[in-house]
Each structure stands twice: as structure tokens, then as C-alpha cells.
């Protein structure tokens, strides 16, 4: 039987990870990390705004890749549209797809595919496919085949980091890792 992590445990461990890095988690609609405009003495300087657990997990994986609290995990909006011919821009895509995959993997089974789909559907805007999702999905098909190992390596890196933070010392440990390819196949059907 497939094991689903306890949502309360995931929430608590993610919140503690952010807190230890100087970021407070708050519920809201923005789904971002940002420096507080005027943190008072003793307050944490950053806040992570999320709508719920799926967004918190997604933001956590971004944070783990970046390695510290920073506005939008250091994402450079001035480089939009990102160019998939450039390795550093593909790395941004691999991390984003990994965040989608990892955060979905830790949800209840019925929530996984819808969450993954919702997140992937947002990504085209960063790569110049604002109004052309079919073109973006075709580009993803091509890129994820050509650079499959890069994506797998990035995903493994993200899963390893998330497992250390979310499941260290817990029994029975993390759930089975899901692949990007399995989510993508179902999304494309």
C-alpha cells in the first residue's frame, strides 16, 4: 500500500526549515518568499506566503535548491523569456519541474496529478509561450527527451534535499519517489 506522509508533519518540518533560515510562513494568496519591508527587532526578516501545503512544499524545494532565504529564491524576472538553448536557463526549468514533481509526490494520491498539472500550466510564460501552451508542451516533450539525464539528476538532488529536511529520523521514512516522466505522461494523455 502506498504511504502518504502526514500533512501536519510535513507542514511543521517545512515551517521549521524556513524559520531556521530566517523566514516566517504565513497563509495568503501570493505563494512567494520575500523580505519583509520593515521587520522589527526580533522578527524574522523574510516571509513565505502560501495558500496551503502544496504551495509550501513547492516553495520549500525552491529554497533547498537556492540554499538560503531570498526574494523569489533569486529568480531573475528580467531574463524572461528564458531561452531553453542556454544550459543555465534549462537548469531553471529542471528545478521548476522538480518542484512540481516533488511537491506533488508528498500529497494525497488524489491531489497529485491535479497539483502537478496546475503548476506545469503556469510555466510557459517564463519561456515565451504566454498564449501558446501547446507549443510549450511540445518544447517540454523535446527538451525532457534530449536532456533527460539533466532533469533526472536535478530531480534526484531535490528529492534528496527534501527527504533530509522532511523525513530525517521519521519512520517509516519518505514515500517512494515519483518520476517527472510518470506525471508528465498522465498530464499529456
Amino acid at each position: 500500500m502506498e504511504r502518504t506522509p502526514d500533512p501536519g508533519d510535513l507542514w511543521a518540518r517545512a515551517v521549521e526549515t524556513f524559520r531556521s533560515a530566517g523566514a516566517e510562513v504565513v497563509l495568503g494568496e501570493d505563494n512567494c518568499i520575500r523580505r519583509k519591508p520593515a521587520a522589527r527587532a526580533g522578527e524574522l526578516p523574510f516571509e513565505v506566503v502560501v495558500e496551503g501545503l502544496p504551495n509550501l512544499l513547492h516553495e520549500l524545494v525552491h529554497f533547498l535548491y537556492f540554499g538560503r532565504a531570498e526574494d523569489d529564491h533569486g529568480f531573475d524576472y528580467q531574463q524572461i523569456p528564458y531561452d531553453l538553448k542556454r544550459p543555465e536557463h534549462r537548469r531553471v526549468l529542471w528545478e521548476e519541474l522538480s518542484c512540481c514533481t516533488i511537491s506533488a509526490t508528498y500529497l494525497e494520491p488524489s491531489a497529485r496529478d491535479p497539483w502537478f498539472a496546475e503548476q506545469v500550466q503556469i510555466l510557459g510564460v517564463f519561456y515565451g509561450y504566454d498564449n501558446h501552451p501547446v507549443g510549450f508542451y511540445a518544447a517540454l516533450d523535446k527538451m525532457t527527451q534530449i536532456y533527460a539525464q539533466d532533469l533526472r539528476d536535478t530531480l534526484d538532488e531535490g528529492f534528496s534535499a527534501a527527504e533530509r529536511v522532511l523525513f530525517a529520523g521519521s519512520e517509516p521514512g519518505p514515500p517512494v519517489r515519483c518520476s517527472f516522466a510518470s506525471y508528465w505522461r498522465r498530464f499529456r494523455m
Side-chain angles (χ1 to χ4, degrees):
M1 182 168 136
E2 187 173 359
R3 185 179 87 75
T4 302
D6 179 88
D9 289 345
L10 292 175
W11 183 271
R13 286 179 181 239
V15 165
E16 182 52 39
T17 299
F18 277 118
R19 180 173 290 287
S20 69
E24 171 187 15
V25 174
V26 296
L27 290 172
E29 295 181 6
D30 289 343
N31 299 307
C32 65
I33 182 170
R34 61 182 170 223
R35 185 175 292 280
K36 292 179 184 175
R40 293 183 276 246
E43 285 187 340
L44 298 175
F46 286 90
E47 66 181 3
V48 180
V49 182
V50 295
E51 292 179 80
L53 181 62
N55 298 104
L56 179 62
L57 295 171
H58 190 99
E59 293 297 328
L60 176 68
V61 179
H62 274 301
F63 165 78
L64 294 171
Y65 280 123
F66 195 66
R68 68 181 190 279
E70 189 59 61
D71 286 350
D72 289 327
H73 312 288
F75 187 83
D76 187 353
Y77 290 95
Q78 293 185 27
Q79 292 194 45
I80 294 172
Y82 277 71
D83 182 354
L84 292 173
K85 293 180 183 111
R86 296 176 57 185
E88 68 274 20
H89 286 191
R90 285 193 306 271
R91 173 64 189 209
V92 171
L93 177 63
W94 304 150
E95 287 184 11
E96 192 63 56
L97 295 175
S98 295
C99 290
C100 298
T101 301
I102 295 166
S103 60
T105 297
Y106 298 151
L107 301 177
E108 292 287 331
S110 64
R112 292 175 185 169
D113 285 341
W115 172 253
F116 178 85
E118 177 184 322
Q119 295 306 293
V120 167
Q121 290 169 343
I122 297 168
L123 298 179
V125 68
F126 299 112
Y127 294 90
Y129 292 92
D130 306 38
N131 299 310
H132 191 49
V134 172
F136 178 63
Y137 302 152
L140 274 182
D141 284 335
K142 180 179 176 183
M143 291 290 109
T144 58
Q145 288 175 9
I146 295 171
Y147 300 102
Q149 189 61 50
D150 292 343
L151 175 55
R152 279 194 300 273
D153 290 347
T154 306
L155 186 58
D156 285 344
E157 177 187 341
F159 264 121
S160 294
E163 289 166 354
R164 280 191 300 276
V165 167
L166 296 172
F167 302 100
S170 70
E171 288 298 328
V176 173
R177 292 178 177 185
C178 294
S179 70
F180 166 80
S182 63
Y183 283 112
W184 185 244
R185 195 170 25 257
R186 290 190 300 273
F187 175 77
R188 294 290 277 155
M189 291 180 6

